[in-house]
């Protein structure tokens, strides 16, 4: 609302909110394509445990009730399966909820939050939302750069976020490197190990973070049911941290942050480790297949420990990631192109069903070879 002098006289948000660019989710729709294949948000096509779906359906009969505000049974189940103290577990509406709470609790104007340049966008967005400075450290070999992070720490640093494995690159840090990073951080900096893809990892030298949380006062690990557990739509995540950090987050969270059907569904999911194991094997098999197939086409595929692969395209037209993205979109396949994050030469591809994986490789092959042999128009006619 403006007065006659052109001055805005309406409600005014905090100034720092005006220059933040909101999170852009992976596309789910495209004009002119009836049922596009969405491989842009790292959802797990293997799907959730049937027991989780049963529990969800049963909970639906009780929707007049508020959920348990403390997620007591869910924390107990997670604690039992992972061998952790439920009192030091906090649940959230997705792990995004907990990442955001951490920033609201520990950062603010004049304070700094460190994250990797190619890392999860929620960290800089929420840091800017509270008026803190988001410090982006360039990645090393696609994962977090420990020495770069340590060099960026100042007396004003409050949080260091490490998504391990990393989104959107898929790379991971071996455990000894995470320990080295922690050893180099001053006590006033809280290290957040965002292990959203922990359940996808098959590398022997990876650990999500529980053991470091056990022995340090300044480490918290976050996990989610959205990725390998296949329950993204329910929004359930959890964190494990020092008792005083968990206490702080409990003070500021929404009282009923985990929805009523989400709690029993997540309990059933975490108790069905056989299903999770089958999903991990499916994911790893197709991750290997996609990596090998796309590498054979001459593309640079970043070795992944997640449920997606980051694919590098040639820098020169007409084989660029931007054109590949347009081509795949026209054919109904939605991947993630992230030029705003400095990844304009790459597309991120979530692992799909076997048919979808084969189809996307075929499409990329025809995109590359059609263009390379200079046959104009064939690309369109295969649609
Ligand atoms: C998907 C993702 C999350 C959060 O997912 P939720 O659905 O909010 O639990 C957190 N961190 C990373 C790195 C992710 O990719």
């Amino acid at each position: 609302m403006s007065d006659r002098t052109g001055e805005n006289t309406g409600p005014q948000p905090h100034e720092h909110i005006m220059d933040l660019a909101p999170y852009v989710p992976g596309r789910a729709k495209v004009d002119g394509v009836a049922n596009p294949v969405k491989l842009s948000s790292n959802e797990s096509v293997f799907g959730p445990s049937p027991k989780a779906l049963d529990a969800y359906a049963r909970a639906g009969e009780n929707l007049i009730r508020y959920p348990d505000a403390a997620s007591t049974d869910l924390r107990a189940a997670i604690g039992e399966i992972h061998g952790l103290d439920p009192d030091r577990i906090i649940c959230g509406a997705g792990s995004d909820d907990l990442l955001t709470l951490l920033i609201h609790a520990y950062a603010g104007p004049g304070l700094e939050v460190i994250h990797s340049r190619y890392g999860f966008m929620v960290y800089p967005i929420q840091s800017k939302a509270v008026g803190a400075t988001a410090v982006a450290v360039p990645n090393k070999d696609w994962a977090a750069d420990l020495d770069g992070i340590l060099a960026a720490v100042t007396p004003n640093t409050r949080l260091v976020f490490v998504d391990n494995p990393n989104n959107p690159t898929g790379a991971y840090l071996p455990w000894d490197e995470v320990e080295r990073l922690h050893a180099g951080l001053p006590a006033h900096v809280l290290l957040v190990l965002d292990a959203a893809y922990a359940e996808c990892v098959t590398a022997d030298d990876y650990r999500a973070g529980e053991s470091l949380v056990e022995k340090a006062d300044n480490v918290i690990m976050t996990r989610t049911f959205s990725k390998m557990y296949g329950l993204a739509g329910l929004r359930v995540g959890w964190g494990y941290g020092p008792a005083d950090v968990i206490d702080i987050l409990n003070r500021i969270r929404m009282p009923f942050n985990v929805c009523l059907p989400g709690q029993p569904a997540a309990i059933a999911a975490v108790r069905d480790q056989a299903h999770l194991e089958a999903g991990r094997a499916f994911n790893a098999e197709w991750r290997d297949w996609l990596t090998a197939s796309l590498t054979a086409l001459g593309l640079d595929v970043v070795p992944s420990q997640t449920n997606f692969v980051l694919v590098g395209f040639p820098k020169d037209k007409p084989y660029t990631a931007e054109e590949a993205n347009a081509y795949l979109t026209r054919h109904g396949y939605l991947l993630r192109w992230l030029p705003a994050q400095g990844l304009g030469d790459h597309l991120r591809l979530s692992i799909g069903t076997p048919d979808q994986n084969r189809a996307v490789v075929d499409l990329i092959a025809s995109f590359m070879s059609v263009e390379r042999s200079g046959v104009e128009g064939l690309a369109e006619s295969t649609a």
Side-chain angles (χ1 to χ4, degrees):
M1 209 175 289
S2 303
D3 66 14
R4 280 170 201 210
T5 64
E7 221 166 284
N8 187 340
T9 55
Q12 300 291 315
H14 285 299
E15 224 167 87
H16 46 253
I17 291 175
M18 297 316 289
D19 57 42
L20 75 83
Y23 184 82
V24 181
R27 286 178 307 163
K29 292 200 178 96
V30 54
D31 287 344
V33 180
N35 288 306
V37 176
K38 185 188 179 203
L39 298 173
S40 58
S41 293
N42 303 340
E43 295 146 341
S44 279
V45 294
F46 191 77
S49 161
K51 292 172 184 158
L53 293 178
D54 277 356
Y56 169 78
R58 268 180 277 125
E61 294 162 15
N62 214 18
L63 292 184
I64 64 160
R65 301 295 171 202
Y66 276 102
D68 171 14
S71 299
T72 313
D73 294 345
L74 175 54
R75 288 186 299 108
I78 293 168
E80 187 189 317
I81 298 297
H82 288 268
L84 305 175
D85 174 4
D87 289 340
R88 292 172 58 188
I89 295 173
I90 181 169
C91 295
S95 50
D96 282 350
D97 186 15
L98 304 173
L99 301 170
T100 301
L101 289 173
L102 283 162
I103 292 167
H104 282 249
Y106 291 95
L111 300 174
E112 293 157 15
V113 177
I114 296 177
H115 64 97
S116 293
R117 171 77 178 98
Y118 308 141
F120 194 43
M121 287 307 285
V122 164
Y123 320 140
I125 292 172
Q126 293 298 339
S127 299
K128 289 175 193 166
V130 301
T133 303
V135 179
V137 174
N139 297 54
K140 185 180 164 202
D141 300 330
W142 299 108
D145 177 7
L146 312 190
D147 297 307
I149 289 173
L150 292 175
V153 172
T154 76
N156 294 328
T157 305
R158 289 296 176 275
L159 293 157
V160 169
F161 283 95
V162 176
D163 34 351
N164 191 32
N166 178 291
N167 175 16
T169 70
Y172 80 106
L173 284 180
W175 185 244
D176 57 346
E177 297 202 28
V178 176
E179 286 187 313
R180 185 161 76 79
L181 169 63
H182 176 255
L185 287 175
H188 73 272
V189 175
L190 181 57
L191 173 62
V192 185
L193 298 173
D194 175 351
Y197 299 94
E199 291 80 7
C200 306
V201 175
T202 52
D204 290 337
D205 55 355
Y206 173 84
R207 280 196 238 166
E210 294 91 329
S211 57
L212 200 51
V213 175
E214 296 290 359
K215 53 181 186 209
D217 295 331
N218 62 338
V219 181
I220 181 166
M221 169 190 71
T222 59
R223 305 283 284 264
T224 183
F225 286 91
S226 300
K227 303 288 159 56
M228 208 60 245
Y229 279 108
L231 293 172
L234 273 181
R235 316 300 305 123
V236 188
W238 58 280
Y240 182 62
D244 54 352
V245 175
I246 297 298
D247 174 58
I248 295 293
L249 300 183
N250 273 322
R251 286 172 192 232
I252 60 169
R253 70 173 170 84
M254 299 280 181
F256 303 102
N257 60 345
V258 183
C259 71
L260 184 129
Q263 298 189 29
I267 291 170
V270 77
R271 289 198 181 287
D272 194 350
Q273 290 291 307
H275 182 86
L276 181 69
E277 199 50 57
R280 191 193 340 263
F282 168 89
N283 187 68
E285 182 187 338
W286 284 98
R287 186 170 68 200
D288 287 350
W289 185 85
L290 282 168
T291 302
S293 304
L294 295 169
T295 303
L297 294 179
L299 300 170
D300 291 324
V301 184
V302 178
S304 171
Q305 285 291 318
T306 61
N307 65 350
F308 60 85
V309 287
L310 186 69
V311 188
F313 285 78
K315 290 192 193 326
D316 300 321
K317 287 192 170 196
Y319 314 123
T320 63
E322 181 174 14
E323 293 187 62
N325 191 39
Y327 179 89
L328 289 162
T329 301
R330 281 203 301 280
H331 289 79
Y333 276 73
L334 307 184
L335 280 65
R336 191 76 155 260
W337 183 47
L338 295 161
Q341 234 185 311
L343 286 167
D345 295 333
H346 291 77
L347 294 181
R348 196 191 68 189
L349 164 66
S350 305
I351 292 163
T353 64
D355 284 351
Q356 292 167 352
N357 295 331
R358 290 189 193 99
V360 83
V361 168
D362 286 349
L363 280 169
I364 293 174
S366 65
F367 164 74
M368 301 291 290
S369 58
V370 165
E371 305 286 354
R372 276 203 171 132
S373 60
V375 183
E376 297 295 335
L378 189 57
E380 306 300 330
S381 69
T382 57

